[in-house]
């Protein structure tokens, strides 16, 4: 093999080495040189010959020359041969030399090769010795090792036969036979053992037939900790299964990792989904916010010109217009009001939602609030509905809360109730509940209302209704429903056993519950119930959603934006309470809100009923404070029912404690036509007058308005009320009233037109004034209206002052909010123009203080706000108008420089009636005065 | 009489230019409307009051803005005042600057405020000069025996 290899190598050497040693072109070069030179010499010579030949052509000469030439030629030839030989020899020598070198090299290479081979072999051996591949299984699994081992054990036997005797002797044979026998015995024994072993083996084999199982078993034990993958694969060689490979892998870590990975992946996915969702939400929210902002701004921008349109229309309606024009005007007004309301709603809502809405904490009297709201509603009522309010005795006289917002909620709910109630009544129950969580238990009032709601129909939807439903159908409805009125009206008196004087034994479930706990916080629940169309169950979930109405049908029928209830809910929740609703379709609904109020410690004792009865007669204010039942029966019915003998007051209401021994039942009955003057007690008259003044005026004024001057005095001092009250409070007694009213109603009935009713539901103040001015009965035009300007900028004061002068008014001027409050306390202004941004106290706060005074009848809020008591001179106040807490609401007009949504909105929220944007112009002032001043 | 007509024409032109250039706006007309026999110098009075007030405010503003820590509330109140005054006499350009001024104030931007103050001062002196010229023209017209033409 080696020799073969060597020869191969030699061949290779020849081939390979030659070219390297012997340059490629050597051979050819040499040849070329050799070949070229020879012909060259020949050619040159021949040329020479020919030339000479040509020159001398003689026969002799030529021959001679030719022989000469042959001689030189032959000698030359000989030389050439010699030269060639020499060259040849040289070449041979060179070749030989080369060959020598080559062979030498070959030897060297061979040697080297041998060396390499040797080395290689050595290495191979070393590798083999060091690293013989060993199956891991050999080491790890000794499953089969015990078998051969046992075999070895068994096989250990002495084979050698030792025979002492001589060969071929008897003894020898004998011995040999014995020996063999022994061997045989041993052999059989061995056989036996082997068989046994074999059997044992087989048994063993059978027992541990499936190592997989065994392994699995082992592994199962550790199951909790190990994740194990077991694989078996048959080892097949030549179509014969010779074994099975079992392979177990501990994949615990892997599994754990994989699980964690999966979990992580899952989490990431969730995270990502959340993120995108969040992004989307953020995006949407941003969009919404922008849209809302836009809406709010737009709303405000719309409101300003719109209020101009509406007020102009109002002014126009006070001028002489014919029937058709009036219709158009009324339509215009109510539409305008509706749009204004809608815009206000939107502004409110966006304010609450954006968290800008701030709540005020002012002292107020819940009874007054309820009464006022009901009065307002009654004033603009266009249906034959009874409005009533019950205030439980345990409700504190004064509480602290944001009265503006609470009023707003109450007004909203009541107008809603009225809107969806076509017959029956709408009422308010106010009572204290122990704890917001146990509100449900208060069934008493609830039940009452349920009883009362004999039948009615009415769904309701969130909607601050202006009760401007001025459709002819409505009127028809009212007429048709006349007869129902009777029973309905009975209710308040019948199921008010607690109304009658003092019967503290009253049904009032709440009384026992909390005679007004000593803690400063009190939860008051307010139910607004009606006997209206009710709310279908399906509509309940969306009831408080924005822009949602019970159905498209309702929306069409009743109009509205679907914002009212949403605003109510948001406001209530903002104040920490909750708003709920229960309703039965066609029977009525009850909206309930429970709100926490702080109790003003100063006057919380007066809610004690016994105390009340004692002091009932002393002081009108106290009576006001403790009134517990108000009722406003349908207006205009007096005349309608007069034929039946069932005439009634315009605004009937009862006071439990005042009328000693007098049964309320009797006078709130529709049949008590001959209601005595006495029943209409002084207080009663006062309370109706004092701030109902504005509210009930529109109606009475259109027919016959009492002397407004007189009215004013009524408001201020309510002591000498008897005549006034009887005069305009009870049309039945006053014959002129009666006549007038009935005439008006007759007209209404005939023409079936909204007529005087929808002219002035909202701005009762202004509109009533307007009406009275247009009517022949001259109101207090003799008195110059008192106007107060609150403004710190001298230039503006000067300009405004002279504008007012031009308009025929002189005005009082003060320079900041504190001075304004003082001025208001000393004089009764008919109109206040209030700058918003002022030093010391701004216009908003001043307005709030003034409103709080109007609401509560005291200046506590002002004192709290830091106004010097001395400045306020509380004593004079108490004697003067201070004792009429519900004195008329003074129109306060903001004068604002930034006509931005925020500030205008703020003005209204703080109790201002309107605003005039700066710079003030004659036109603006004129409009404002026309709107808010008794001419 | 020619002189009077000339003066009247000049006055009208001048007033028109003030409106045209935006120094004054409608509100100034309002002021003029308020002026009558019983109150012949009303416009001059109001505008003088405005000058007085504005100069005081501008001084105050200058002082307030010079302070190390600027009381922006105070600045804002002053600017608000100035804005109210200027808007009520119809000094439109001053009023508009006041709006920008208040924005700077809201941003608590002292530099911006100072810049605004400079501008307001400038505008104020401009409008002051213009109005004074206007009044002088009016006086001359009246002195020459003519009446002030109504716009």
């Amino acid at each position: 093999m080696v020799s073969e290899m060597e020869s191969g190598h030699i061949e290779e050497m020849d081939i390979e080495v030659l070219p390297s040693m012997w340059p490629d072109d050597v051979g050819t070069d040499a040849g070329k040189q050799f070949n070229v030179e020879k012909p060259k010499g020949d050619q040159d010579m021949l040329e020479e010959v020919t030339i000479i030949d040509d020159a001398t052509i003689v026969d002799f000469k030529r021959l001679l020359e030719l022989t000469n030439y042959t001689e030189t030629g032959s000698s030359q030839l000989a030389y050439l041969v010699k030269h060639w030989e020499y060259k040849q020899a040289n070449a041979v020598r060179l070749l030989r030399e080369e060959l020598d070198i080559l062979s030498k090299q070959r030897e060297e290479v061979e040697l080297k090769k041998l060396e390499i081979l040797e080395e290689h072999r050595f290495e191979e051996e070393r590798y083999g010795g060091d690293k013989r591949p060993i199956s891991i299984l050999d080491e790890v699994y000794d499953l089969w090792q015990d078998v051969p081992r046992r075999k070895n054990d068994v096989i250990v036997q002495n084979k050698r036969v030792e025979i002492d005797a001589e060969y071929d002797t008897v003894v020898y044979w004998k011995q040999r036979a014995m020996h063999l026998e022994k061997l045989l015995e041993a052999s059989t024994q061995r056989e036996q053992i082997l068989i046994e072993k074999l059997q044992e083996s087989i048994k063993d084999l059978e027992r541990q037939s499936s190592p997989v199982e065994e392994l699995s078993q082992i592994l199962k034990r550790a199951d909790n900790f190990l994740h194990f993958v077991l694989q078996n694969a048959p080892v097949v060689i030549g179509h014969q299964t010779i074994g099975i490979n079992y392979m177990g892998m501990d994949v615990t870590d892997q599994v754990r990792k994989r699980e964690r990975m999966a979990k992580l992946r899952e989490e990431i996915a969730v995270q990502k989904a959340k993120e995108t969702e969040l992004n989307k939400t953020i995006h949407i929210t941003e969009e919404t916010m922008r849209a809302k902002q836009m809406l709010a701004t737009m709303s405000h921008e719309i409101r300003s010109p719109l209020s101009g349109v509406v007020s102009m229309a109002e002014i126009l309606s006070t001028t002489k217009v014919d029937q058709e024009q009036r219709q158009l005007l009324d339509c215009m007004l109510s539409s305008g009001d509706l749009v204004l309301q809608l815009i206000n709603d939107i502004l409110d809502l966006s304010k609450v939602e954006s968290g800008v809405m701030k709540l005020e904490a002012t002292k107020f009297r819940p009874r007054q609030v309820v009464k006022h709201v009901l009065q307002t509603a009654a004033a603009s009522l266009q249906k034959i509905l009874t409005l009533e309010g019950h205030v439980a005795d345990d409700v504190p006289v004064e509480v602290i809360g944001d009265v503006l917002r609470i009023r707003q909620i109450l007004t909203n709910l009541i107008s809603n109730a009225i809107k969806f109630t076509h017959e029956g009544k709408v009422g308010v129950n106010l009572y204290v509940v122990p704890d917001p969580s146990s509100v449900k238990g208060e069934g008493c009032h609830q039940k009452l209302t349920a009883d009362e709601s004999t039948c009615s129909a009415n769904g309701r939807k969130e909607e601050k209704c202006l009760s401007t439903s001025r459709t002819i159908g409505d009127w028809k409805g009212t007429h048709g429903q006349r007869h129902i009125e009777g029973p309905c009206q009975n209710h308040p008196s019948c199921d008010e056993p607690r109304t009658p004087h003092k019967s503290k034994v009253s049904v009032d479930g709440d009384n026992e519950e909390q005679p007004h706990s000593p803690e400063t916080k009190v939860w008051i629940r307010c139910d607004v119930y009606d006997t209206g169309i009710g709310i279908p169950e399906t509509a309940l979930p969306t009831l408080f959603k924005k822009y949602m109405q019970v159905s498209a049908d309702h929306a069409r029928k009743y109009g509205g934006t679907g914002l009212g209830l949403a605003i109510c809910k948001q406001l209530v929740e903002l104040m920490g309470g909750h708003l709920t609703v229960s309703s039965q379709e066609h029977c009525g609904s009850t909206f309930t809100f429970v709100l926490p109020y702080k109790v003003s410690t100063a006057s919380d004792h007066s809610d004690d009923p016994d105390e009340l009865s004692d002091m009932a007669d002393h002081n009108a204010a106290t009576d006001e404070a403790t009134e517990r039942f108000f009722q406003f029966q349908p207006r205009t019915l007096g005349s309608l029912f007069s034929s039946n003998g069932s005439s009634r007051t315009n605004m009937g209401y009862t006071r439990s404690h005042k009328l000693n021994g007098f049964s309320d039942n009797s006078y709130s009955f529709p049949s008590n036509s001959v209601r005595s003057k006495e029943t209409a007690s002084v207080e009663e008259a006062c309370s109706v007058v004092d701030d109902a003044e504005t509210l009930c005026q529109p109606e009475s004024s259109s027919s016959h308005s009492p002397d407004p001057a007189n009215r004013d005095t009524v408001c201020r001092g309510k002591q000498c009320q008897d005549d006034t009250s009887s005069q305009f409070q009870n049309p039945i007694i006053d014959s002129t009233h009666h006549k007038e009213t009935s005439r008006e109603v007759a007209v209404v009935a005939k023409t079936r037109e909204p007529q005087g009713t929808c002219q002035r539901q909202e701005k009762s103040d202004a509109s009533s004034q307007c009406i009275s001015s247009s009517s022949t009965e001259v109101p207090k035009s003799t008195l110059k209206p008192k106007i107060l300007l609150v403004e710190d900028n001298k230039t503006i004061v000067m300009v405004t002052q002279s504008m007012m002068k031009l308009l025929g008014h002189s005005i009082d001027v003060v320079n900041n909010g504190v001075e304004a409050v003082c001025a208001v306390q000393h004089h009764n202004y008919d109109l206040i123009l209030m700058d918003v941004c002022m030093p010391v106290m701004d216009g908003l706060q001043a307005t709030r203080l003034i409103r709080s005074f109007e609401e509560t009848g005291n200046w506590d809020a002002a004192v709290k706000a830091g106004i010097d008591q001395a400045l306020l001179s509380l004593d004079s106040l108490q004697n003067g108008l201070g004792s009429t807490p519900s004195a008329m609401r003074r129109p306060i007009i903001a004068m604002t420089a930034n006509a931005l949504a925020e500030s205008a909105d703020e003005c209204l929220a703080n109790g201002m009636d309107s605003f005039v944007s700066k710079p003030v112009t004659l036109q603006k002032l004129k409009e404002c005065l026309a709107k808010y001043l008794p001419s | 009489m020619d002189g009077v007509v000339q003066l009247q024409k000049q006055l009208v032109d001048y007033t028109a230019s003030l409106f045209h250039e935006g120094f004054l706006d409608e509100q100034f007309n309002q002021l003029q409307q308020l002026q009558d026999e019983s109150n012949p110098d009303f416009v001059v009075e109001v505008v003088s009051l405005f000058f007085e007030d504005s100069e005081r405010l501008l001084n105050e503003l200058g002082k307030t803005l010079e302070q190390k820590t600027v009381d922006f509330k105070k600045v804002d109140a002053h600017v608000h005042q100035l804005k109210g005054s200027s808007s009520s006499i119809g000094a439109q350009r001053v009023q508009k600057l006041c709006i920008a001024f208040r924005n700077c104030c809201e941003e608590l931007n002292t530099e911006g405020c100072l810049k605004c103050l400079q501008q307001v001062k400038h505008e104020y002196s401009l409008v002051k000069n213009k109005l004074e010229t206007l009044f002088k023209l009016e006086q001359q017209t009246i002195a020459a025996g003519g009446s002030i033409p109504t716009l």
Side-chain angles (χ1 to χ4, degrees), chain A residues 346-363:
Chain A
I346 292 169
L347 283 173
D348 263 358
L349 202 65
S350 61
K351 207 165 178 190
V352 176
E353 278 176 358
S354 58
V356 178
M357 177 83 70
K358 278 181 211 136
L359 293 174
E360 291 294 319
T362 47
K363 211 184 264 186

Side-chain angles (χ1 to χ4, degrees), chain B residues 59-119:
Chain B
N59 275 338
E60 289 275 329
L61 276 173
K63 272 187 221 157
T64 316
L65 283 173
E66 269 168 29
Q67 307 284 310
K68 236 185 189 171
T69 50
V70 179
D71 183 355
F72 281 101
K73 248 189 184 166
K74 208 167 157 193
V75 173
D76 190 61
H78 287 322
V79 180
H80 179 69
Q81 284 275 330
L82 188 62
K83 188 179 142 220
S85 312
S86 55
S87 81
S88 66
I89 69 142
Q92 193 179 213
R93 278 159 71 158
V94 177
Q95 184 205 345
K96 277 178 183 160
L97 270 173
C98 283
I99 295 169
F101 202 154
R102 290 193 77 183
N103 286 340
C104 280
C105 219
E106 246 169 58
E107 291 161 13
L108 307 180
N109 179 356
T110 315
E111 291 260 303
C113 280
L114 281 168
K115 208 172 152 196
C116 281
L117 179 62
Q118 219 45 52
Q119 289 173 331

Side-chain angles (χ1 to χ4, degrees), chain A residues 414-432:
Chain A
I414 286 174
S415 55
N416 229 3
I418 290 170
K419 185 172 180 181
F420 295 105
T421 305
H422 302 305
E423 54 193 26
K425 62 163 94 179
V426 170
V428 181
N429 281 327
L430 207 63
Y431 49 98
V432 173

Side-chain angles (χ1 to χ4, degrees), chain A residues 792-793 802 837 920-922, chain B residues 27 30 34 42 80-81 85 87:
Chain A
D792 62 321
N793 191 311
S802 32
C837 203
V920 178
T921 63
L922 262 181
Chain B
Q27 189 66 19
Q30 291 271 329
L34 291 173
F42 176 73
H80 179 69
Q81 284 275 330
S85 312
S87 81

Side-chain angles (χ1 to χ4, degrees), chain A residues 791-796 798-800 802-806 835 837-839 897-898 918-923, chain B residues 27 30-31 33-34 36 38-39 42 45-46 49-50 52-53 56 80-85 87-89 102:
Chain A
E791 169 66 67
D792 62 321
N793 191 311
K794 280 185 240 157
T795 317
I796 298 176
M798 194 167 175
V799 172
T800 313
S802 32
M803 282 180 174
M804 281 297 197
K805 208 165 139 199
L806 202 77
D835 184 23
C837 203
M838 283 182 295
N898 356 341
K918 284 180 186 171
V920 178
T921 63
L922 262 181
Q923 188 55 34
Chain B
Q27 189 66 19
Q30 291 271 329
L31 288 189
Q33 278 177 41
L34 291 173
D36 54 16
S38 67
N39 204 352
F42 176 73
E45 276 172 29
V46 172
L49 185 66
F50 166 70
E52 214 175 279
D53 204 33
R56 181 182 60 82
H80 179 69
Q81 284 275 330
L82 188 62
K83 188 179 142 220
S85 312
S87 81
S88 66
I89 69 142
R102 290 193 77 183

Side-chain angles (χ1 to χ4, degrees), chain A residues 864-924:
Chain A
K864 214 184 288 166
I867 297 183
D868 200 343
Q869 292 248 7
L871 270 172
L872 278 169
S873 60
L874 286 168
D875 300 276
S876 68
L877 202 137
Q878 233 60 52
N879 300 336
L881 44 145
S883 55
T884 60
S886 47
M888 68 159 192
R889 187 179 158 96
R890 295 160 184 79
I892 300 178
I893 314 299
M895 302 216 305
T896 163
N898 356 341
L900 296 172
E902 240 180 303
S903 87
D905 215 29
E906 229 171 354
C907 292
L908 300 178
N910 278 285
M912 288 170 164
D913 295 288
S914 177
F915 61 92
V916 174
S917 66
K918 284 180 186 171
V920 178
T921 63
L922 262 181
Q923 188 55 34
K924 286 184 203 162

Side-chain angles (χ1 to χ4, degrees), chain A residues 790-792 814-817 820 834-844 846, chain B residues 80-81:
Chain A
V790 189
E791 169 66 67
D792 62 321
V814 292
N815 295 322
N816 63 49
M834 180 88 74
D835 184 23
V836 175
C837 203
M838 283 182 295
V840 187
M841 180 188 284
D842 67 25
L844 299 177
Chain B
H80 179 69
Q81 284 275 330

